[in-house]
Amino acid sequence: MTAVWVDSDHDDDTRRAGLYSGDLYLANASPAGEALCAFARELAEEAFDGLDPRLAQHEMAVEAYAAVLAELKPRFIHHQRSKELLRDLLAEQGCDLDQVHVDVPRLRSSTSDGYLTTGIAYAWHPHRDTWYSAPMTQLNWWLPVYPVRPDNAMAFHLEHFDRVVENDSEIYNYYVWNSTFRAAAASQVGKETRPLPRPRGEIDLSTAVVPLPPVGGYTLFSGQQLHSSVPNTSGVTRFSIDFRTVHIGDVAAGRSAPNVDAACTGSSIRDFVRARDFAPMPQQVVSLFDDGTESQGELRYESPEAQQRR
């Protein structure tokens, strides 16, 4: 049985335990959530220079549209204000900023009717983040920047949370990905060539659950949840923010979602920084995830934009 909690009064310890067992948590708009989404809208509307970001796909050539995203998304990801607003949201939601570590907030887009679905606007097939070397303690936060609808949001395939889904995650090593494919994954347009793990069989999409949090609210779920992009047929581009957290106390205590079918290697654990001050993940935590593949590629990807900001 999967519980879907809406505006729960659970403290963060109880909430994390529920998430590790497969529950979803939804929240209505909050001051910190609204502030984060408002900042994303500000940057998007500036980037599209007078066009409504949701409708710009109908006014622009696909190459020009992708070029705007190629500048907008790194700007949001690496902006100091984005990180500060993310920290405000975590504090507002009762997280321990010394125990909770977070990766960068990402601005995502899903264009309508097949306009742009690869490269910088990749449309996600059913997957678990744990197939991509995410820690089993990883939690995912997802916020719509503009209102979403059932035909442009995100789908969850909840019945598969603790059931084996045959997949090819054995092809994936995080460090090889960082050194070989990561930069290409942010390319603007073109055929998708990324070797990302997928289910080996068909997933019944008819049973999907599609949460619709309001702008400034969120959906919170375990990285073990099987989820996918809903094919966007709404006529408007969906913009959303997502980021991920790891509680290092849970890592040390062995509290996490179950690993039922992930066979990937390497770990994204180094991508997470302490929420309070953005300090690196402690080495004693990192060492728990070493599996002997550390020499195969880049342990932590650093984008050109991030290098310029150092």
Side-chain angles (χ1 to χ4, degrees):
M1 182 178 67
T2 299
V4 179
W5 301 91
V6 180
D7 286 339
S8 165
D9 61 358
H10 292 171
D11 62 25
D12 191 47
D13 289 343
T14 304
R15 183 171 59 201
R16 294 195 317 277
L19 291 160
Y20 296 152
S21 68
D23 291 353
L24 297 185
Y25 281 75
L26 276 67
N28 277 302
S30 68
E34 289 180 331
L36 179 60
C37 292
F39 182 63
R41 288 195 302 275
E42 175 187 331
L43 294 187
E45 289 162 12
E46 177 183 328
F48 281 100
D49 194 21
L51 293 177
D52 185 330
R54 295 167 291 180
L55 300 175
Q57 70 168 86
H58 303 297
E59 304 291 333
M60 301 175 66
V62 66
E63 293 81 5
Y65 184 93
V68 170
L69 295 184
E71 292 188 7
L72 167 62
K73 293 187 175 186
R75 185 182 180 204
F76 176 81
I77 287 171
H78 300 294
H79 203 294
Q80 184 65 22
R81 185 61 177 152
S82 298
K83 299 173 185 177
E84 292 168 351
L85 290 168
L86 186 157
R87 178 175 58 196
D88 291 346
L89 176 61
L90 292 174
E92 178 193 69
Q93 297 302 311
C95 297
D96 182 334
L97 299 184
D98 294 310
Q99 291 288 301
V100 170
H101 287 55
V102 62
D103 70 352
V104 294
R106 293 173 172 86
L107 181 62
R108 309 285 193 182
S109 57
S110 172
T111 60
S112 181
D113 299 297
Y115 173 78
L116 178 60
T117 59
T118 61
I120 202 165
Y122 187 67
W124 285 95
H125 53 268
H127 69 285
R128 309 187 200 274
D129 283 17
T130 52
W131 292 349
Y132 306 147
S133 304
M136 297 305 301
T137 47
Q138 179 178 293
L139 303 178
N140 295 14
W141 304 66
W142 188 89
L143 301 85
V145 174
Y146 296 94
V148 287
R149 342 182 326 180
D151 55 357
N152 71 0
M154 182 170 55
F156 290 87
H157 314 286
L158 299 176
E159 67 271 26
H160 298 291
F161 177 77
D162 56 359
R163 300 179 187 174
V164 172
V165 175
E166 296 296 332
N167 67 85
D168 59 357
S169 58
E170 72 277 0
I171 70 171
Y172 189 88
N173 176 272
Y174 192 66
Y175 313 131
V176 172
W177 165 262
N178 285 340
S179 60
T180 307
F181 303 105
R182 188 70 173 264
S187 64
Q188 297 178 21
V189 293
K191 183 179 179 181
E192 193 57 55
T193 58
R194 292 183 273 174
L196 290 171
R198 295 173 176 265
R200 283 201 165 96
E202 293 296 319
I203 300 296
D204 182 2
L205 303 181
S206 67
T207 61
V209 172
V210 182
L212 300 173
V215 173
Y218 61 76
T219 301
L220 176 58
F221 59 99
S222 166
Q224 170 67 8
Q225 287 285 3
L226 194 71
H227 59 288
S228 62
S229 301
V230 174
N232 188 346
T233 58
S234 67
V236 299
T237 299
R238 182 257 290 164
F239 286 88
S240 59
I241 297 165
D242 65 63
F243 62 91
R244 301 161 180 84
T245 57
V246 169
H247 189 285
I248 61 172
D250 288 347
V251 173
R255 291 187 290 267
S256 71
N259 181 2
V260 296
D261 56 19
C264 49
T265 53
S267 176
S268 63
I269 192 65
R270 295 170 182 82
D271 292 350
F272 295 85
V273 297
R274 188 163 57 203
R276 183 173 301 281
D277 56 5
F278 313 123
M281 178 67 70
Q283 183 56 41
Q284 63 266 32
V285 176
V286 170
S287 63
L288 296 174
F289 293 85
D290 288 347
D291 61 3
T293 67
E294 291 72 35
S295 63
Q296 294 186 11
E298 294 182 35
L299 299 179
R300 186 173 186 270
Y301 177 75
E302 190 171 33
S303 69
E305 294 82 10
Q307 294 174 21
Q308 292 173 5
R309 287 169 171 80
R310 285 193 301 176

